[in-house]
């Protein structure tokens, strides 16, 4: 009799057992494409000094990033670490996450240190583009006020809205087509069944640093590296979790990230877990925010998300809650069945290493 794991693997290999997906997207593959230079390697750097009295501390964070990049790449963490991925001639995007504002978002201290790393590798400020999908959320969080002079910003749409099928800001030549639509739309409607990639990722940059935060999510279970890309780099994403029972995140997330223009350009993933959210996401309710004091570094988003998922589950157990996959709806998290299995399915699609026995987790404690 097939095991659940074998069934999940079969589903992931084509996503055909649930929702078939087709991709129209091209981008040159290199050794940096997912799962990147260091398949299965995840670096976790903890430093209690990174946040004091609720305020992020620039120097301890700089030390965390330098140590994390050093351990990931086998260098001293300086310019040589960043040069493994970036150099003169690159235009580098940074995908931030403002959704949990004001409590859990990509912090300015982390963003600025990443920019400094890119500068050390020979990427000038004018060739760095910081992005989020919605202009109103992006600027409302204040990212434009934190960036060094010359760094550019980009977005794909003005603000969140429930249909999300507008094409302005997106590229018709790069899409994921899935037989899934919002209610009231015919499945033969190509606009309704496709998610188009933002021009930011298709035309404006040739490499991407993915900068998610450590958060619970009502429908996807967690929103970490994979979901920061799947729901931040394409349009028409509400169809993936339209109601508390019509939830297709398990299939949708890996299908989007498998688009060549995403999987081949996203070469480095840095998870900002200095603060985390263990329940009620993606919007951050303060009663579920905790100081995790840890940052994670990887080229493999699947291995990274596996470890991040475990960190959230450990916090949930510590406060007397159930693990995400075993949880039932409450007034803060209303979806009937959350779908963190998107991480395992992404592994089955070759986007990274899911098997925990093959994940090389290296924990570093800084004082």
């Amino acid at each position: 009799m097939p095991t659940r794991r074998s069934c999940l693997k079969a589903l992931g290999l084509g996503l055909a057992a649930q929702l078939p997906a087709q991709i129209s997207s091209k981008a040159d593959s290199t050794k940096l494409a997912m799962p990147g230079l260091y398949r299965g390697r995840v670096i976790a750097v903890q430093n209690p000094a990174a946040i004091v009295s609720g305020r992020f501390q620039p120097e301890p964070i700089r030390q965390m990033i330098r140590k994390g990049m050093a351990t990931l790449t086998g260098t001293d963490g300086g310019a040589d670490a960043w040069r493994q991925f970036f150099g003169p001639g690159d235009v580098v995007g940074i995908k931030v996450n403002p959704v949990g504002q004001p409590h859990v978002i990509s912090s300015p201290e982390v963003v600025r240190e990443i920019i400094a790393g890119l500068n050390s590798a020979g990427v000038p400020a004018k060739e760095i583009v910081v992005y989020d999908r919605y202009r109103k959320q992006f600027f409302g969080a204040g990212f434009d006020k934190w960036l060094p002079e010359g760094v550019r910003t980009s977005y794909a749409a003005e603000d969140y809205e429930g249909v999300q099928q507008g094409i302005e800001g997106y590229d018709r030549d790069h899409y994921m087509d899935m037989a899934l639509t919002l209610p009231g739309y015919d499945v033969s409607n190509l606009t309704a069944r496709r998610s188009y990639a933002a021009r930011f990722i298709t035309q404006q940059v040739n490499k991407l640093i993915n900068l998610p935060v450590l958060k619970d999510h009502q429908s996807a279970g967690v929103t970490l590296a994979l979901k920061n890309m799947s729901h931040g780099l394409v349009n028409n994403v509400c169809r993936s979790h339209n109601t508390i029972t019509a939830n297709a995140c398990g299939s949708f997330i890996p299908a989007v990230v498998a688009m060549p223009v995403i999987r081949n350009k996203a070469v480095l993933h840095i998870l900002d877990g200095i603060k985390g959210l263990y329940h009620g996401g993606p919007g951050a309710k303060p009663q579920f925010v905790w100081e995790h004091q840890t940052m994670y570094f990887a080229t493999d988003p699947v291995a990274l998300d596996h470890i991040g998922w475990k960190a959230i589950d450990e916090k949930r157990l510590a406060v007397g809650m159930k693990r995400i996959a075993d949880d039932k709806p409450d007034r803060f998290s209303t979806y009937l069945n959350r779908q963190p299995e998107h991480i395992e399915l992404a592994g089955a699609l070759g986007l990274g290493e899911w098997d925990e026995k093959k994940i090389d987790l290296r924990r570093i404690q800084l004082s």
Side-chain angles (χ1 to χ4, degrees):
M1 183 174 182
T3 65
R4 180 175 182 271
R5 182 173 295 276
S6 67
C7 289
L8 281 171
K9 185 175 182 180
L11 174 58
L13 290 173
L15 296 175
Q18 187 173 13
L19 288 168
Q22 295 182 342
I23 291 170
S24 176
S25 174
K26 293 182 179 180
D28 293 338
S29 180
T30 71
K31 64 181 181 180
L32 299 178
M34 295 180 205
L37 294 178
Y38 304 105
R39 180 185 179 96
R41 183 179 299 176
V42 180
I43 313 303
V45 183
Q46 185 176 36
N47 189 347
I51 184 167
V52 178
S53 300
R55 298 180 66 87
F56 287 73
Q57 303 299 309
E59 180 56 27
I61 289 171
R62 187 194 71 80
Q63 295 171 6
M64 293 170 78
I65 293 177
R66 187 179 181 96
K67 187 64 175 178
M69 290 296 292
T71 310
L72 177 66
T73 61
T75 67
D76 66 1
D80 286 346
W82 296 94
R83 289 189 189 114
Q84 288 197 12
F85 309 101
F86 313 103
D90 284 329
V91 181
V92 182
I94 303 174
K95 168 60 177 80
V96 295
N97 190 319
V99 176
Q101 58 183 291
H103 303 294
V104 184
I105 66 173
S106 304
S107 73
E109 294 80 5
V110 170
V111 174
R112 286 196 289 260
E113 189 59 34
I114 290 171
I115 291 170
L118 289 171
N119 293 158
S120 74
V123 182
K126 67 179 182 178
E127 302 299 349
I128 300 171
V129 187
V130 180
Y131 162 91
D132 190 65
R133 185 169 41 138
Y134 298 125
R135 188 200 69 82
K136 189 171 182 179
Q137 290 186 9
F138 181 61
F139 285 87
F143 285 103
D144 59 312
K145 300 179 180 66
W146 304 331
L147 299 178
E149 185 176 357
V151 173
R152 292 181 281 153
T153 61
S154 183
Y155 54 89
E158 176 62 22
D159 197 7
Y160 175 89
E161 49 91 16
V163 177
Q164 302 181 340
Q165 292 175 14
I167 197 64
E168 185 177 358
Y170 299 91
D171 191 328
R172 290 186 179 274
D173 293 331
H174 298 265
Y175 60 82
M176 186 277 289
D177 188 324
M178 177 179 280
L180 173 70
T181 68
L182 291 169
Y185 289 86
D186 194 287
V187 74
S188 64
N189 181 335
L190 295 181
T191 301
R193 58 178 287 154
R194 288 178 176 174
S195 289
Y196 293 92
R199 289 179 185 150
F200 159 76
I201 190 67
T202 66
Q203 299 178 19
Q204 296 177 12
V205 302
N206 71 306
K207 291 178 181 174
L208 179 73
I209 296 175
N210 183 28
L211 181 57
V213 290
L214 185 72
K215 289 197 305 177
D216 166 273
H217 194 278
Q218 292 187 52
S219 58
V222 294
T223 173
L224 305 171
L226 291 164
K227 190 174 180 295
N228 198 45
M229 295 181 286
S230 69
H231 284 63
L233 294 173
V234 303
N235 77 338
N236 197 17
V237 303
C238 279
R239 62 190 178 123
S240 69
H241 46 45
N242 179 56
T243 70
I244 61 173
T245 51
N247 185 10
C249 281
S251 297
F252 185 89
I253 293 171
V256 170
V257 179
M259 295 172 64
V261 76
I262 296 176
R263 76 177 297 171
N264 294 343
K265 288 190 176 186
V267 302
L268 180 63
H269 309 271
I270 299 177
L271 176 61
D272 183 350
I274 296 173
K275 288 203 296 185
L277 181 75
Y278 62 86
H279 191 58
K285 299 171 179 62
Q287 63 266 45
F288 301 123
V289 175
W290 95 103
E291 294 182 359
H292 185 53
Q293 305 168 342
T294 306
M295 293 187 63
Y296 299 84
F297 302 80
T299 65
D300 180 335
V302 177
L304 178 62
D305 280 13
H306 193 157
I307 298 302
W309 175 8
K310 288 191 65 177
I312 295 174
D313 269 350
E314 287 168 3
K315 178 62 179 179
R316 291 172 62 88
L317 291 173
V319 299
M321 300 181 73
K322 292 182 178 180
R323 292 181 175 89
I324 289 167
D326 300 326
D327 200 23
K328 297 299 181 184
D330 63 18
R331 65 191 181 98
F332 299 106
S333 187
T334 59
Y335 278 75
L336 180 62
N337 292 302
R338 303 209 262 169
Q339 296 188 350
E341 65 263 26
H342 71 263
I343 303 170
E344 187 170 357
L345 296 179
L349 282 177
L351 298 172
E353 184 58 66
W354 161 259
D355 186 349
E356 192 168 358
K357 295 178 181 178
K358 297 179 181 178
I359 294 177
D360 175 17
L361 173 61
R362 305 182 187 185
R363 295 190 180 274
I364 298 166
Q365 181 70 48
L366 300 179
S367 58

